[in-house]
Amino acid sequence: MNRSNRSVGSKRLWRRVTLLAAAAALALAALAASALARPQVVRVGNLIVTVDGGITPSKLPKSSFAPVTLNAEATLETADGTHLPAARKLVVEFDKHGRMETGGLATCSVRRLENTLTDQAKQICSKALIGTGRAGAEIEFPEQAPFFASGAMLIFNGHPKGSHPVLIFHVYAHVPAPTTFVTTAVVGKASGAYGTRVEITVPTIVAGQGSLTFAKLRMRKTWSYRGKRQHLLLASCPTGRFLTRGNLTFSNGSKIAGKVIRSCTPRG
């Protein structure tokens, strides 16, 4: 295979595999998914978002909350293979039977994490680390073929904004120069069938030339507070299903939105 064919093959492979996150961020939509669920695909026009992953265990109590672990992955691509518009803002709302607790948990700040390598960030805010993963982006400069870059992603518990918990996402990647990206997500209240609302600002990548395409993460944290064992993520299953909905806004003004319904197994 010549260099040109390898480049095309690599590009296609990345587009099949790559989106967080928020950072991060659409991966959080899998909080509502069971561990055995199939990937959820949403398509609007030329944009395609795929969300996969789930919480374990999927068998949960009906009337009380139990600790869970989140493993999630999301990808973003275009149907015709053209360069993605840059994602700007993600809003995700989760079922009222899932919740996040941060009372007594150590916090970190954006200021302390700026311009740090991955290992440095871990050392500086180790007690506030609540998740790990990876994020990737496609970068396209004028008159050049697009290329992909990825880096390790860390998620920290930030200082609350009023009464609302704050998540901090840290990604260090070569895009193409070594760069540290730090952004936040505010966790608030939703209404109706949805209890938690997460709003994430996606950082600008390479002066707008980069587009987030992939995020994968795992979130779990336990700690002691006032003599009791605390857990970051908890869920119950009174109805046999979880609901999640989200919408993502892009730099060109386009939006994509969708709803995910996943099953769980009630016990007790």
Side-chain angles (χ1 to χ4, degrees):
M1 182 182 294
N2 61 36
R3 180 177 300 178
S4 176
N5 290 338
R6 287 198 300 270
S7 177
V8 172
S10 176
K11 181 178 177 181
R12 289 174 178 171
L13 176 61
W14 270 97
R15 283 194 174 128
R16 288 198 301 269
V17 176
T18 63
L19 171 86
L20 226 179
L26 276 174
L28 291 176
L31 178 61
S34 67
L36 300 178
R38 294 180 179 179
Q40 178 74 24
V41 180
V42 178
R43 177 172 178 175
V44 175
N46 195 42
L47 298 173
I48 302 173
V49 176
T50 304
V51 180
D52 197 8
I55 56 174
T56 53
S58 59
K59 188 174 183 179
L60 296 164
K62 289 183 179 180
S63 56
S64 60
F65 285 83
V68 294
T69 299
L70 166 65
N71 287 281
E73 181 175 347
T75 65
L76 181 63
E77 59 188 334
T78 56
D80 62 5
T82 56
H83 182 60
L84 287 159
R88 285 288 176 259
K89 180 178 173 182
L90 172 72
V91 177
V92 183
E93 293 181 315
F94 301 106
D95 196 290
K96 62 183 179 182
H97 299 113
R99 73 187 193 199
M100 176 182 293
E101 299 287 348
T102 58
L105 178 59
T107 61
C108 192
S109 67
V110 170
R111 180 184 58 81
R112 297 184 68 193
L113 293 171
E114 288 178 337
N115 302 315
T116 59
L117 306 181
T118 301
D119 288 343
Q120 291 174 329
K122 284 182 179 180
Q123 294 174 0
I124 292 171
C125 295
S126 60
K127 293 184 178 180
L129 183 65
I130 59 175
T132 59
R134 197 165 188 86
E138 179 187 70
I139 296 92
E140 184 178 60
F141 294 115
E143 300 180 1
Q144 292 185 26
F147 64 94
F148 293 88
S150 66
M153 178 168 64
L154 304 175
I155 308 171
F156 299 92
N157 180 43
H159 299 301
K161 187 174 182 179
S163 61
H164 302 298
V166 171
L167 307 180
I168 303 175
F169 294 88
H170 175 286
V171 177
Y172 176 77
H174 292 260
V175 286
T179 307
T180 299
F181 299 93
V182 181
T183 192
T184 60
V186 179
V187 182
K189 292 183 179 180
S191 60
Y194 302 92
T196 304
R197 182 178 189 272
V198 180
E199 182 174 324
I200 303 169
T201 300
V202 182
T204 300
I205 303 172
V206 195
Q209 303 299 317
S211 301
L212 190 68
T213 57
F214 167 79
K216 183 176 182 179
L217 60 84
R218 180 181 189 274
M219 289 180 66
R220 180 182 177 86
K221 183 74 172 183
T222 60
W223 67 99
S224 295
Y225 181 56
R226 294 179 178 176
K228 294 183 179 180
R229 191 170 181 80
Q230 307 294 322
H231 303 275
L232 178 71
L233 301 176
L234 302 106
S236 63
C237 181
T239 64
R241 67 175 189 172
F242 281 96
L243 306 175
T244 301
R245 64 184 179 187
N247 64 80
L248 183 62
T249 304
F250 296 87
S251 57
N252 64 358
S254 59
K255 296 181 180 181
I256 188 168
K259 179 186 292 186
V260 178
I261 301 176
R262 294 291 192 242
S263 62
C264 58
T265 304
R267 64 173 172 80

